Amino acid sequence: MNKRQTSLETTILIIELLKRIPKSWWITALELKQQLAEIGLDRDIHTIQRHMKSLVESNHFPIDMDDRSKPYGYRWNQQAVGFTVNSLSIQESLILQMAHKTLKNLLPSSLMDSMSGFFEEANRNISHTQDPTKEVQWLSKVVVAPETQPLLPPELNSGVFNQVSCALYNNCWLELTYRNAGGDVKEKSIMPLGLAQQGPRLYLVCRFKGYEDDRILALHRMISARSTSLSFERPIDFDLKQYSDDARFTFGEGRKVKLSFRIKKDAGLHILESRLSEDQTYREHEDCYEISASVVDSRQLEWWLNGFGEDAWGISYQAVDEEEAA
């Protein structure tokens, strides 16, 4: 390898390091190494540490180092503007800011951390712009309206989400201390299989070590979590989308039924517009709609129907043969 190629690779490595240094929290050399490996820049930890030490000691980049205990942490100085290769346009800033709100709990924390510089720049562009452009105004023109009583998200113990997403992303076993709904505290080794956001809450689908059945654990009930270096082969028989379609997150067992009921017209019009299923049919009567649809039976379905009170009646469930449903 000639000197020019070596110099170019070193320059690329330093640029990628600078892009991944956050401003709001400390990041370690090991975390930087892991993020670089994910984009194909696999370097040993001593190389990363050496470059970070040089960047901190230089006068070119306002980077702080927390050396009170090992491993050392790094972040941009609070007065620094961070580092980006290209400046984001106001349109790109708008898209990033909206994407961050939607994806922050659905992407691995390592990937979100690697994007932190872009999110911070997007926020600065939006908040510091002197021109009230149409793009900036757009943020005050759109909102996601709740379908049910809005609830605040439960608090997660520090570091739990990072460890869970890391184990899920890398297919590694997760050591967990968990408090169940009955208040009992358990220590388990689990195989993380999927992450689901339901309203304000996050749930992890997993398998306990030594068992083949799938379980759901709430992240806010996790007291502590630690991603191990022990990897596993992801089960080929597990499909997260099918798991969700079977109403597992809404207290169902995947049992298909033909649901029929009558509902007053003013209460049921929206069901004609937003159907329960592809095969939904209805008959219009003088005072009501008679609706029929194939759905997955669940407690949430029962709660939904009960929510109409006396406006819905004649409710019946007929089991659907699996071959017929397919």
Side-chain angles (χ1 to χ4, degrees):
M1 184 181 298
N2 59 47
K3 291 184 178 179
R4 178 175 297 180
Q5 186 175 359
T6 302
S7 178
L8 176 60
E9 289 191 356
T10 301
T11 301
I12 292 173
L13 176 62
I14 291 175
I15 289 174
E16 293 297 334
L17 281 172
L18 290 170
K19 286 164 58 177
R20 283 160 175 76
I21 299 173
K23 186 176 180 181
S24 304
W25 62 91
W26 300 101
I27 190 169
T28 67
L30 179 58
E31 290 171 326
L32 288 168
K33 171 180 163 50
Q34 292 170 342
Q35 291 184 22
L36 291 173
E38 290 165 3
I39 62 170
L41 290 177
D42 196 359
R43 299 292 188 273
D44 64 79
I45 189 66
H46 299 297
T47 299
I48 304 299
Q49 291 171 336
R50 184 174 67 253
H51 284 305
M52 289 307 302
K53 184 173 184 294
S54 298
L55 289 172
V56 170
E57 292 177 350
S58 74
N59 295 322
H60 302 291
F61 302 103
I63 300 172
D64 293 334
M65 180 174 71
D66 182 7
D67 57 0
R68 291 172 294 181
S69 62
K70 292 185 177 181
Y72 296 165
Y74 306 91
R75 71 180 181 190
W76 288 104
N77 185 279
Q78 294 301 300
Q79 283 70 47
V81 296
F83 176 85
T84 55
V85 177
N86 295 310
S87 179
L88 293 173
S89 68
I90 194 67
Q91 293 88 352
E92 293 168 334
S93 299
L94 172 65
I95 293 171
L96 272 177
Q97 193 173 69
M98 296 184 72
H100 182 247
K101 293 179 181 179
T102 304
L103 300 174
K104 62 182 180 180
N105 289 328
L106 298 177
L107 285 176
S109 56
S110 59
L111 295 185
M112 292 299 291
D113 289 348
S114 69
M115 290 289 292
S116 63
F118 295 102
F119 291 134
E120 290 177 0
E121 182 182 356
N123 289 335
R124 286 196 302 271
N125 288 348
I126 294 295
S127 60
H128 293 164
T129 181
Q130 300 298 317
D131 181 22
T133 62
K134 294 178 181 178
E135 289 81 10
V136 174
Q137 293 174 357
W138 184 258
L139 291 174
S140 63
K141 294 181 178 180
V142 293
V143 68
V144 177
E147 290 190 79
T148 60
Q149 174 62 35
L151 302 171
L152 294 177
E155 293 185 9
L156 301 184
N157 285 330
S158 176
V160 161
F161 178 75
N162 286 357
Q163 292 297 311
V164 169
S165 63
C166 178
L168 179 63
Y169 183 72
N170 293 304
N171 292 328
C172 288
W173 287 91
L174 186 69
E175 299 293 338
L176 197 68
T177 303
Y178 185 82
R179 179 182 288 106
N180 63 24
D184 298 325
V185 176
K186 308 277 188 179
E187 292 187 357
K188 296 290 183 180
S189 180
I190 65 171
M191 177 190 295
L193 299 177
L195 193 65
Q197 181 166 350
Q198 187 181 49
R201 297 171 299 278
L202 286 171
Y203 293 97
L204 179 70
V205 185
C206 64
R207 292 184 183 179
F208 287 7
K209 196 167 189 175
Y211 295 84
E212 298 296 325
D213 58 320
D214 303 319
R215 315 217 184 167
I216 301 175
L217 300 180
L219 263 70
H220 62 272
R221 296 197 183 115
M222 296 180 183
I223 299 172
S224 65
R226 182 179 67 86
S227 175
T228 72
S229 58
L230 183 62
S231 61
F232 61 83
E233 288 293 330
R234 187 173 175 83
I236 59 175
D237 61 338
F238 178 77
D239 185 326
L240 182 61
K241 183 180 184 305
Q242 186 61 52
Y243 192 84
S244 178
D245 290 344
D246 288 343
R248 303 291 180 172
F249 295 108
T250 54
F251 309 100
E253 298 295 334
R255 185 172 72 96
K256 298 287 182 67
V257 296
K258 177 71 77 171
L259 171 68
S260 299
F261 62 98
R262 294 195 177 200
I263 187 168
K264 288 183 179 179
K265 287 186 174 180
D266 57 348
L269 177 61
H270 72 285
I271 304 175
L272 307 187
E273 300 168 335
S274 299
R275 296 174 296 167
L276 286 164
S277 67
E278 291 291 341
D279 70 348
Q280 175 177 300
T281 60
Y282 76 95
R283 292 176 58 188
E284 185 173 359
H285 299 279
E286 183 177 350
D287 62 340
C288 68
Y289 297 115
E290 183 179 353
I291 296 176
S292 178
S294 298
V295 296
V296 177
D297 192 15
S298 69
R299 286 172 61 186
Q300 187 179 59
L301 176 64
E302 180 183 349
W303 297 335
W304 178 74
L305 288 167
N306 289 339
F308 292 110
E310 295 181 354
D311 288 344
W313 66 93
I315 301 170
S316 68
Y317 304 86
Q318 181 180 352
V320 175
D321 183 78
E322 291 186 3
E323 293 184 2
E324 177 186 343

